[in-house]
Amino acid sequence: MKKTINTNINGISFIFDDDAYAVLNTYLNAIKSHFKNKKGSDEIISDIESRIAELFQQMLNDKKQVLNMDDVKQVKDQMGQPSDFDQDTEEEPVYYAKPSGSSKRLYRDTNDRMIGGVCSGLGAYFNVDTVWIRLIFVIAILSGVSALAYIILWVIIPAARTVSERLEMRGDPVNISNIEKLIREELNEIRDKVDDLASQARDTFRKKKK
Amino acid sequence: MKVEKTNAQMRKGVIELCVLSVISDKEVYTSDILAAMKEAELIVVEGTVYPLLTRLKNDGLLKYKWEESTSGPPRKYYSLTEEGGSILEKLTKNWQSLNKSVNKLLKK
């Protein structure tokens, strides 16, 4: 007797022995992390999953209703390891960064600011969570140190405006792959914000309808 | 020099041509593309084809449509776009002339 697990691959329900399920789950996660951050990753992953579902479907019949370790191994062999996937296709171009000396510079982070972005800039420079810097500033100002200190810093520290300045602020070398990474991160932030706004708008709309 | 590496590089160059040629002027189900490539011994594992199909689609050489299936969820059927067709033609010509040149050299 064996425990089984019921799972859904690409909209089809399958029953696996629990050891077979564990192996399959690890395999699918390896595929996902392999394609993560690559162009068209969602589509590639869902195509691969639908192929895997199709192969499993072909293994089942009236007499056989549970997929076991051998079935999972067979599908894995047929699909191949994620490390083999790119072997026959175009490789991602690799950019080599010129090693530059002290590339970290103090900027104000205007994308993550409460007032002028001084604290988040300091946080990035010293590699400390911005919350602690803000806390120190608030305590300092409350305990009598003039808020002028903040304003002076605001004036003398330049804002990180361009992508390369933002990379210098974080101490990352300015090269193509880092620029791409930073832009992608910021685009994701924007997308999340837009999604939030959209769902809020939907909610308000629904409430009004009622 | 590793033979496997050179072999892989040789395959890499022509595999795009082969996928386009398998599809040519029909609408082909993904699994049938896989079967044809495997039968021709051009691929070993199926996973390699998916990133390639997605890239060719994103580059505008392939398009697909969903078709209902009697035995499961809808299936993706690929076909060539106009651009894909003209690239297939160019690649085929190029391959034939390359093949001729290489064979000429090898016979010596």
Side-chain angles (χ1 to χ4, degrees):
Chain A
M1 195 179 77
K2 253 182 176 175
K3 216 170 128 186
T4 60
I5 290 176
N6 201 325
T7 191
N8 164 348
I9 307 174
N10 195 39
I12 308 172
S13 168
F14 292 100
I15 306 168
F16 288 92
D17 284 338
D18 67 346
D19 53 348
Y21 172 82
V23 171
L24 178 69
N25 196 27
T26 317
Y27 179 62
L28 289 178
N29 283 335
I31 293 179
K32 278 180 198 155
S33 70
H34 176 81
F35 287 113
K36 208 167 99 186
N37 292 332
K38 286 191 185 159
K39 218 176 146 195
S41 62
D42 289 348
E43 191 172 3
I44 297 172
I45 293 165
S46 99
D47 284 353
I48 289 178
E49 282 195 353
S50 82
R51 174 63 175 162
I52 289 175
E54 183 181 58
L55 291 174
F56 281 136
Q57 243 182 344
Q58 288 164 2
M59 291 171 170
L60 297 171
N61 53 43
D62 292 344
K63 283 180 192 152
K64 180 179 166 67
Q65 298 187 343
V66 178
L67 293 155
N68 59 32
M69 191 65 104
D70 285 341
D71 302 325
V72 171
K73 276 196 179 131
Q74 197 187 322
V75 165
K76 267 179 72 180
D77 286 345
Q78 194 167 342
M79 297 305 293
Q81 286 304 316
S83 54
D84 302 329
F85 286 3
D86 297 330
Q87 187 192 316
D88 288 340
T89 54
E90 199 178 55
E91 270 166 37
E92 298 265 309
V94 182
Y95 300 101
Y96 295 98
K98 261 190 243 159
S100 51
S102 58
S103 57
K104 203 165 188 176
R105 294 178 63 183
L106 183 56
Y107 284 104
R108 285 183 289 118
D109 187 356
T110 48
N111 278 21
D112 175 26
R113 63 172 179 188
M114 291 288 189
I115 307 170
V118 171
C119 294
S120 47
L122 286 170
Y125 188 75
F126 294 113
N127 221 359
V128 185
D129 197 330
T130 315
V131 173
W132 298 114
I133 312 263
R134 287 192 182 126
L135 203 65
I136 292 170
F137 264 86
V138 170
I139 292 170
I141 289 169
L142 288 181
S143 62
V145 178
S146 164
L148 201 63
Y150 185 91
I151 293 168
I152 290 170
L153 286 171
W154 192 353
V155 173
I156 59 173
I157 303 174
R161 290 209 171 79
T162 66
V163 173
S164 52
E165 284 172 348
R166 299 183 56 72
L167 284 171
E168 279 176 350
M169 177 180 74
R170 303 197 324 189
D172 290 338
V174 181
N175 59 25
I176 298 286
S177 62
N178 276 335
I179 290 175
E180 194 198 18
K181 203 175 106 196
L182 184 68
I183 291 176
R184 198 181 287 147
E185 280 174 20
E186 293 185 348
L187 278 179
N188 282 342
E189 274 172 32
I190 294 172
R191 201 170 50 207
D192 289 347
K193 278 181 193 157
V194 171
D195 283 349
D196 275 1
L197 275 178
S199 66
Q200 275 173 12
R202 260 201 306 275
D203 287 350
T204 359
F205 185 68
R206 269 198 210 117
K207 273 178 203 154
K208 274 191 183 160
K209 246 184 164 178
K210 279 175 194 168
Chain B
M1 192 170 70
K2 276 190 184 153
V3 179
E4 292 84 19
K5 203 180 159 192
T6 313
N7 276 340
Q9 275 171 337
M10 285 207 250
R11 244 197 343 257
K12 198 183 289 181
V14 294
I15 205 137
E16 208 170 297
L17 162 64
C18 296
V19 168
L20 292 175
S21 143
V22 167
I23 299 171
S24 29
D25 45 26
K26 318 174 278 289
E27 287 184 337
V28 192
Y29 178 41
T30 319
S31 302
D32 296 332
I33 302 176
L34 294 171
M37 298 291 283
K38 264 184 163 172
E39 204 188 304
E41 291 179 11
L42 280 160
I43 54 163
V44 186
V45 292
E46 297 187 357
T48 50
V49 174
Y50 291 94
L52 180 62
L53 285 173
T54 304
R55 182 165 62 79
L56 291 174
K57 191 216 66 182
N58 288 339
D59 288 348
L61 307 190
L62 296 180
K63 55 181 193 256
Y64 65 80
K65 63 176 187 188
W66 293 101
E67 278 191 19
E68 293 297 321
S69 142
T70 47
S71 60
R75 298 170 157 191
K76 247 182 195 176
Y77 277 76
Y78 281 97
S79 58
L80 296 188
T81 60
E82 214 167 286
E83 199 192 344
S86 83
I87 284 186
L88 170 62
E89 211 171 291
K90 281 179 202 150
L91 288 177
T92 309
K93 271 190 196 137
N94 204 349
W95 166 252
Q96 278 159 351
S97 81
L98 185 68
N99 191 24
K100 214 164 117 191
S101 317
V102 173
N103 277 336
K104 218 192 235 167
L105 257 181
L106 291 178
K107 267 180 209 149
K108 275 186 187 166

